[in-house]
Amino acid sequence: MFTEFNELLPPFGDKSVTDKSQIWIIGTREQVLHTINEFYVKRIANDRVKFTPIIPAPFEGKYMSVLVR
């Protein structure tokens, strides 16, 4: 059974976007923007370009952005 699942995994070293680690930030627009700035200042993200644009989240009144590392 495990062999069947392992065959579905991409080859080791494949660097597609889905294989990279992601940090999802969900909150009010101000919270998301503050967290993006905080990650940049603390050098968790070395460039703000690595964040997706702030978009409405599927939760009422919430927004989201994703950091792809």
Side-chain angles (χ1 to χ4, degrees):
M1 183 168 148
F2 289 108
T3 305
E4 295 168 354
F5 289 121
N6 287 337
E7 290 173 359
L8 296 175
L9 293 173
F12 182 75
D14 186 15
K15 295 293 183 184
S16 67
V17 174
T18 57
D19 291 340
K20 294 181 181 179
S21 62
Q22 299 177 356
I23 299 173
W24 289 50
I25 305 167
I26 300 174
T28 65
R29 188 170 182 81
E30 292 78 23
Q31 290 171 331
V32 172
L33 188 57
H34 177 76
T35 304
I36 289 172
N37 291 332
E38 185 178 5
F39 281 12
Y40 179 70
V41 169
K42 291 183 177 181
R43 300 182 191 261
I44 295 171
N46 57 2
D47 194 357
R48 287 186 176 100
V49 174
K50 294 189 177 187
F51 290 94
T52 62
I54 298 174
I55 58 171
F59 312 109
E60 187 174 333
K62 300 292 182 179
Y63 292 86
M64 66 182 281
S65 181
V66 179
L67 168 62
V68 179
R69 300 184 76 190

